[in-house]
Amino acid sequence: MASLFPSPFRNLAPHQRHAFAACFLGWSLDAFDFFILVFCVSAIASDFHAAASSVAEALFLTLAFRPVGAFLFGALAEKYGRRPALMLNVACYSVFELACAFTTSLHGLFWLRALFGIAMGGEWGVGAALAFETLPKEGRGFFSGLLQEGYVVGYLAAAAAYALLFPHFAHMTWHGYNFGWRGMFLVGAAPALLIVYIGLKVEESPVWRERQGQGVEREKAQGLSFNELLRYAPTFFFLVLLMTGFNAFSHGTQDLYPTFLQKDHHYSAALTGSVGIVYNIGALLGGIFFGGLSERFGRKRTIIVAALLALPMIPLYAFSRSLITLAAGAFLMQFMVQGAWGVVPAYLSELSPGPVRATFPGLAYQLGNLITSRNSVLQARAAERFGGYGKVLAFTVLIVACFLVLVTALGRESKGADLNA
């Protein structure tokens, strides 16, 4: 085990550690702000006298608008640098998250979550470009697994915050409005503090600086368009297809699981949050484990194995009756789902051409999100129609895992690619 997971951090220079920390925290806090809504779907539905499937439209809008942010912030990062684009991105998603706390209608929440989606969509591509252009090639799989699990850390933090704070907020009011879920969005504005850290400690990507010094980046920025992306159309199409499978895999197993626990099993906020903590620990460990494993066995093989191992977890994950077996099933399912995801940052960065690396992987990622953006709405409506979420969640895992295996098998291996090329 030690040979699979050395201590790559010991060999990093201070500027590399700060770059990785900033990108990890940016992705974690971005996910934290997204998943606050996931845990509050039932409370918002009750407050606005709407069905859960109606509130799930807010999740759809967030996912649907993420490609816009990936293109806009990616273009800014190609032209002005990864660091300032990341700072602006964090500021935007923090402001929109804060604004959600003050909305007085469901339609107002929809508009704000669409704007939040634009900001959220920019973070991953810009952060991944800054991280992998700064970090050494050695140990890239380990860093990939750890960086992607920033998303899980954000989900874990949201689960913990929900379990600890929501029961207290639920008994409070604000100008006649229920404060419960609004208080959670106020907490979600905290990521704005990350801007200070990035400004003080993080250096610009050395790869971007080198291109800028050679005058190459300015030329590429002027030509950055859909025509530039079409130059790499076959790879781009493959990545969009791959990320469609990946986004369906994660959002299809995560977004409505708290609602499943509350609606099908009648768990309280504290119990739902506690189960959320358990399965996010599994996700965190899975991402690091399989990310490190990909350094030895390759990106493709690792993704395929993790996706296939999700299938035997379906009975525990979706059809268990007790709290312990449900938590165990969710832990194992997310260990595999996020295990596959742990390979994604390195795989997409290695497959993406250098001149558009801040735009290319992020846009492919978020277009995959767009294609699958109505998953949670469709899942919620199917559950309401067929009387429960368990069968819907199980069917989702079965179909999506097989799709992901097939698409990954069609791609090429990228382990060890030179990102300076």
Side-chain angles (χ1 to χ4, degrees), residues 170-254:
H171 299 294
M172 302 167 63
T173 58
W174 172 75
H175 291 280
Y177 294 100
N178 184 283
F179 184 74
W181 59 270
R182 300 174 194 277
M184 299 305 301
F185 284 114
L186 287 177
V187 174
L193 298 173
L194 179 61
I195 299 170
V196 178
Y197 175 74
I198 298 173
L200 293 176
K201 295 292 186 179
V202 178
E203 298 180 10
E204 185 54 79
S205 154
V207 174
W208 184 86
R209 284 203 311 265
E210 182 179 353
R211 287 204 182 96
Q212 185 75 2
Q214 295 171 349
V216 174
E217 187 64 27
R218 190 173 285 108
E219 294 175 9
K220 290 296 182 181
Q222 291 173 352
L224 183 62
S225 64
F226 284 108
N227 289 333
E228 179 71 16
L229 295 174
L230 286 174
R231 177 182 170 189
Y232 311 104
T235 300
F236 187 68
F237 177 75
F238 166 73
L239 292 184
V240 171
L241 202 61
L242 181 71
M243 296 315 297
T244 298
F246 265 108
N247 281 297
F249 204 27
S250 59
H251 289 290
T253 58
Q254 293 173 347

Side-chain angles (χ1 to χ4, degrees), residues 35 38 155 246-258 260 279 310 314 317 330 333-338 341 375 379 392-398 400-401:
F35 282 109
V38 167
Y155 197 165
F246 265 108
N247 281 297
F249 204 27
S250 59
H251 289 290
T253 58
Q254 293 173 347
D255 290 3
L256 291 181
Y257 205 72
F260 161 65
Y279 63 71
I314 292 175
Y317 163 79
M333 179 61 72
Q334 293 308 319
F335 186 92
M336 305 310 169
V337 170
Q338 291 302 318
W341 263 99
N375 275 13
Q379 284 180 302
V392 175
L393 291 169
F395 184 74
T396 299
V397 176
L398 177 63
V400 174

